Amino acid sequence: MPHTDFTVLPGTPQPLGATWDGEGTNFALFSANATKVELCIFDDDGKEEIARITLPEFTNQIYHGFLPDLKPGTLYGYRVHGPYEPHNGHRFNPNKLLLDPYARGHVGDIIWDPAVFGYQLETGDDTTFDERDSAAFIPKCVVVDRDFDWKEDPDWQQVPWERTIVYETHVKGFTKQHPKVPEGERGTYKGLANPAVTDYIKSLGVTTVELLPVHTFVADQFLIEKGMTNFWGYNSIGFFAPDPRYAVSPKGSVQEFKDMVARFHDAGLEVILDVVFNHTAEGNEKGATLSFKGIDNASYYSLQPDNPRFYNNDSGTGNTFNLSHPQVTRLVSDSLRYWVQEMHIDGYRFDLGTVLGRTPTGFDKNSAFLQHCGLDPVISSVKLIAEPWDIGPGGYQVGNFPPGWAEWNDKFRDVVRSFWKGSAGVKELVPRLCGSADAFNHDGRRPWASVNFIAAHDGFTINDLVTYNEKHNDANGEDNKDGSSNNESWNCGVEGPTDDETINLLREKQIRNLIATLMFSQGTPMLLAGDEFGRSQGGNNNAYCQDSDISWINWEIEHKGQSLIRFVQKLTTLRQTYPMLHYTRFLNGELKEDIDTKDVTWIKEDGTEFSPEDWDDGERKRVGMLLDVRGYASDTSKAQEDCPLLILFNSHHEDVDFVLPEHIGGSTWKLLLDTNQPDMTDGSTIENSKPLKLVSRSLSLLALQLTPEA
């Protein structure tokens, strides 16, 4: 039995977690239904429990105590006593070591042993009670010193939404094979902070790096047994701790993460975290007891009201975090504030965000949590992005989040894929080019609320989108049954890689078409890391379990990949240069009579405007998008960069002579970009009413050359 010769003082119930104040550490843990809480202190290796201390005070449902002289670096966990009554929603078992929900640091990995389950695993009956000690198999919490010299970071200014270009990546996958990162730092926060990495990302013209989950997460037992792991990290168990697997020194994970953020800010790049508050890694009633389940199961989880032994499962992972409970809402809010105030991150993308707005009557954009995020002075000061769907009833909520939120827009993804594949027409494409006003133009929301993407971590890369008609997920060990079969992909005639140069050239052009459409559409573009040089996952569209070459970015970039990088850099430069490509208001196509023009006009091949009858032709595959917001808003000027723009789309398999329209203010158009000429340096100038050859499956961008009096 461990000794208990530590001095213990009453301490305070606030703040929750383990807080070092320079003289000792205060411990505070919420549990509404526990009867006793024991703090367990471990040796430096986390193997031996050297002290077990009953927290002496219980104030407002919070157990607390203060240990003088207990310093940062100390490893600890909790044992929580109370009723083991699964039928009443209670699963207390003091034989199980539990992670502190507010722990700022973790060390070690879970070892999947029957002892980590609160019930006798061998029986399969979760109403049984297991007496085995789980401490040897559970990660340990770390008391953290919060001190860090941010130097110039307080002067950091976030990127305005309308100028934001998101770059989604994975801490480990991005640098695991990076030749300019020291081998011992590859796959870590420190590796991602390497100047070679930040300089490259900055060079792309993106502004904001969105990291897949970095909260401490658990690798599922069934994956470990198959020799795989939960690579993406959507299985959180600690909402305040950066995962130690991404640290060179696990005990120093907080410092390493802070340094990474500081280096990104030095490079002028924002950092956004993908966060998972919809569920935890503890699974359903048959899952392990790691933290919340053993601390206060009935408070932390959404249980079935008629039988609280079982969990509501709106997340599809076995449980749903109970954001209807004020203490759970507080935990999530405290976590969000912590990562902003202490770790200096610039925003969040909320996985399965619909769960966060669920009430007993269904999704409600006015739910307490969603409204709280919009009103809290800290949380509302950063970017908030929802994945606006879950698997629960009424789970698809694209466009229905409150003002102040942005949302992933899968409508954009699906329609743009279909258009360039050839299965969707102009009529379907047009709303997506305009920021999906049909979904987002309400409550004073702006076009940036639509986060547009062609590819994300979940699904095909853009290269694979034009290389495979079918998913190829055999490496996942599920007989290729996992992952979506509805990808709107087109292999251009051959499944997989080919030596056919004609097909390869078409694929490269299709990639350029897709990314150009993304960058020239109203809304906030998001680019998947590696898509800028044609990265492939071999047709795997569900690489969540692949900590391997499938998921790791290969930095041996071929000539065609380098060409695509240059093309993407040109796209981002054009987007930032021309305000009409990141306009702050929704386009409506209404005539502004005092200047005799519209903010957007849709042009046919003959250079004339679309008529109502033209829109009835659902098979149209060509359209010109004429943008001119001069005189519409105070946020534009008379600079050359505000000149009208014309974007021409042709997803048809035949070339067309596209007559350039006459337009007020100028008589010639200059070709700025052509996806059929990726390395074009200085485009030609074409007079009004003259044709431009728009080749099959291509996109062109032109700018009106304004006359001085315009």
Side-chain angles (χ1 to χ4, degrees):
M1 187 71 182
H3 61 80
T4 57
D5 58 356
F6 281 77
T7 300
V8 186
L9 302 177
T12 62
Q14 305 296 338
L16 291 167
T19 306
W20 159 253
D21 66 0
E23 298 181 357
T25 302
N26 189 79
F27 293 87
L29 180 73
F30 160 79
S31 181
N33 296 292
T35 57
K36 183 172 75 170
V37 172
E38 293 176 311
L39 171 68
C40 303
I41 307 296
F42 289 82
D43 64 8
D44 289 343
D45 294 327
K47 295 181 179 179
E48 181 183 354
E49 185 179 339
I50 61 175
R52 188 176 300 183
I53 303 152
T54 299
L55 293 184
E57 299 293 330
F58 182 56
T59 305
N60 297 330
Q61 300 183 328
I62 295 171
Y63 290 86
H64 55 94
F66 181 84
L67 276 65
D69 300 322
L70 194 142
K71 298 179 179 180
T74 300
L75 305 185
Y76 73 99
Y78 288 114
R79 298 181 188 273
V80 180
H81 297 252
Y84 189 82
E85 300 171 353
H87 288 94
N88 292 321
H90 301 309
R91 295 180 179 272
F92 296 99
N93 187 335
N95 299 297
K96 310 306 168 185
L97 186 76
L98 305 174
L99 297 170
D100 180 0
Y102 277 77
R104 268 55 172 178
H106 290 158
V107 296
D109 293 322
I110 185 173
I111 299 173
W112 286 105
D113 184 272
V116 304
F117 294 83
Y119 65 98
Q120 296 169 16
L121 180 66
E122 295 83 354
T123 69
D125 181 0
D126 65 288
T127 65
T128 60
F129 184 81
D130 189 78
E131 296 183 353
R132 288 169 286 195
D133 191 336
S134 69
F137 312 105
I138 296 292
K140 308 303 182 293
C141 303
V142 186
V143 177
V144 170
D145 184 353
R146 295 164 57 182
D147 185 48
F148 183 81
D149 183 5
W150 284 100
K151 298 180 181 177
E152 302 301 322
D153 204 65
D155 297 328
W156 166 250
Q157 297 292 319
Q158 292 184 349
V159 178
W161 259 116
E162 65 271 15
R163 288 192 169 272
T164 299
I165 302 176
V166 180
Y167 188 70
E168 189 197 35
T169 193
H170 185 282
V171 171
K172 183 175 183 178
F174 198 74
T175 64
K176 182 62 179 176
Q177 299 186 110
H178 201 295
K180 294 184 179 179
V181 175
E183 189 169 350
E185 298 176 5
R186 294 176 186 173
T188 68
Y189 307 120
K190 195 169 184 178
L192 202 58
N194 187 288
V197 175
T198 56
D199 289 350
Y200 168 76
I201 296 174
K202 182 67 175 179
S203 76
L204 296 176
V206 300
T207 67
T208 306
V209 177
E210 181 179 306
L211 300 177
L212 267 67
V214 299
H215 289 167
T216 301
F217 64 90
V218 171
D220 307 82
Q221 183 175 10
F222 80 95
L223 290 175
I224 297 296
E225 291 173 349
K226 293 197 299 183
M228 293 181 284
T229 190
N230 191 320
F231 180 69
W232 287 348
Y234 290 95
N235 211 22
S236 301
I237 197 62
F239 299 123
F240 292 80
D243 196 287
R245 282 167 285 201
Y246 300 150
V248 175
S249 171
K251 279 192 176 182
S253 59
V254 173
Q255 300 294 314
E256 290 185 29
F257 184 91
K258 288 181 176 180
D259 187 67
M260 178 195 73
V261 173
R263 300 292 76 75
F264 271 89
H265 286 180
D266 288 345
L269 295 165
E270 293 183 313
V271 179
I272 284 180
L273 301 186
D274 195 335
V275 290
V276 188
F277 293 118
N278 53 77
H279 74 283
T280 79
E282 292 185 297
N284 61 15
E285 70 278 1
K286 298 294 182 67
T289 297
L290 308 174
S291 180
F292 309 96
K293 187 179 288 187
I295 292 171
D296 195 347
N297 185 68
S299 294
Y300 279 112
Y301 292 112
S302 175
L303 307 178
Q304 296 183 12
D306 56 342
N307 190 351
R309 172 187 172 188
F310 300 105
Y311 298 79
N312 290 318
N313 185 22
D314 294 328
S315 67
T317 60
N319 65 58
T320 303
F321 220 38
N322 184 20
L323 281 160
S324 295
H325 192 288
Q327 196 66 40
V328 182
T329 298
R330 178 192 171 183
L331 179 144
V332 175
S333 299
D334 286 349
S335 170
L336 295 173
R337 283 189 291 266
Y338 171 77
W339 287 89
V340 173
Q341 294 176 311
E342 293 286 333
M343 311 295 255
H344 288 209
I345 65 95
D346 303 290
Y348 300 99
R349 179 265 189 189
F350 293 83
D351 179 64
L352 301 183
T354 302
V355 170
L356 307 180
R358 283 201 175 275
T359 68
T361 58
F363 176 81
D364 183 359
K365 71 176 182 180
N366 295 314
S367 69
F369 178 76
L370 294 182
Q371 291 299 316
H372 170 72
C373 288
L375 296 173
D376 184 277
V378 175
I379 300 172
S380 65
S381 71
V382 299
K383 292 181 168 72
L384 304 177
I385 304 171
E387 181 186 38
W389 50 76
D390 65 22
I391 69 165
Y396 187 77
Q397 295 293 335
V398 171
N400 292 331
F401 275 68
W405 286 74
E407 304 170 37
W408 273 25
N409 186 358
D410 64 334
K411 294 179 180 180
F412 179 92
R413 175 197 66 194
D414 295 345
V415 168
V416 173
R417 287 183 177 192
S418 299
F419 176 76
W420 288 111
K421 176 184 176 182
S423 58
V426 166
K427 188 175 183 178
E428 295 176 73
L429 178 69
V430 161
R432 307 306 147 224
L433 299 177
C434 295
S436 296
D438 54 338
F440 294 98
N441 189 11
H442 58 84
D443 296 324
R445 301 182 80 181
R446 299 290 182 142
W448 55 254
S450 173
V451 177
N452 302 327
F453 64 104
I454 305 297
H457 66 276
D458 185 3
F460 278 145
T461 65
I462 288 184
N463 180 85
D464 290 354
L465 193 64
V466 302
T467 307
Y468 299 93
N469 282 353
E470 309 295 335
K471 62 185 180 182
H472 295 267
N473 298 351
D474 303 277
N476 296 356
E478 299 181 42
D479 298 324
N480 204 34
K481 295 178 180 178
D482 63 305
S484 175
S485 296
N486 182 25
N487 297 290
E488 288 297 335
S489 61
W490 178 45
N491 63 19
C492 300
V494 173
E495 186 73 357
T498 179
D499 293 328
D500 188 315
E501 189 62 18
T502 301
I503 290 177
N504 284 331
L505 289 173
L506 175 57
R507 288 174 175 176
E508 291 168 27
K509 184 167 63 170
Q510 287 287 77
I511 291 173
R512 294 191 292 271
N513 289 333
L514 289 162
I515 301 179
T517 305
L518 174 68
M519 292 299 170
F520 293 163
S521 295
Q522 303 296 304
T524 302
M526 184 184 78
L527 183 68
L528 176 64
D531 277 352
E532 73 273 12
F533 55 79
R535 170 179 169 261
S536 174
Q537 292 185 163
N540 192 318
N541 74 350
N542 189 35
Y544 77 102
C545 57
Q546 294 297 330
D547 189 359
S548 67
D549 288 344
I550 292 174
S551 293
W552 302 338
I553 289 181
N554 180 359
W555 292 100
E556 295 179 1
I557 304 173
E558 299 177 355
H559 174 74
K560 65 179 182 180
Q562 297 291 352
S563 175
L564 183 55
I565 288 173
R566 293 191 297 272
F567 185 78
V568 170
Q569 290 169 331
K570 186 171 185 177
L571 291 175
T572 57
T573 298
L574 288 167
R575 180 179 175 88
Q576 299 291 26
T577 299
Y578 292 92
M580 282 178 235
L581 296 178
H582 56 262
Y583 193 42
T584 59
R585 291 165 172 78
F586 284 101
L587 305 170
N588 59 34
E590 296 179 0
L591 179 67
K592 190 171 177 62
E593 294 184 358
D594 58 339
I595 57 173
D596 194 29
T597 189
K598 302 176 181 180
D599 55 6
V600 61
T601 307
W602 303 101
I603 306 298
K604 294 187 294 185
E605 300 96 315
D606 62 4
T608 63
E609 184 175 353
F610 266 61
S611 67
E613 293 74 24
D614 292 322
W615 290 114
D616 293 333
D617 182 1
E619 298 302 313
R620 279 189 175 272
K621 299 295 192 295
R622 299 162 178 147
V623 67
M625 182 182 187
L626 175 56
L627 296 167
D628 187 355
V629 296
R630 294 173 297 169
Y632 274 77
S634 60
D635 59 350
T636 62
S637 67
K638 290 295 182 181
Q640 177 67 24
E641 288 74 16
D642 283 332
C643 61
L645 298 177
L646 179 63
I647 313 172
L648 304 180
F649 301 85
N650 180 15
S651 66
H652 199 264
H653 63 272
E654 293 181 345
D655 302 348
V656 63
D657 286 332
F658 207 112
V659 176
L660 302 186
E662 294 185 4
H663 193 65
I664 186 170
S667 60
T668 59
W669 295 89
K670 183 175 182 179
L671 184 63
L672 301 178
L673 179 133
D674 181 355
T675 59
N676 191 55
Q677 305 176 65
D679 295 316
M680 180 187 74
T681 55
D682 191 13
S684 57
T685 299
I686 308 161
E687 294 181 3
N688 286 351
S689 303
K690 298 294 184 180
L692 169 72
K693 184 176 181 180
L694 189 62
V695 304
S696 65
R697 299 189 177 98
S698 72
L699 177 155
S700 292
L701 173 69
L702 302 99
L704 186 67
Q705 304 300 284
L706 296 175
T707 56
E709 61 271 17

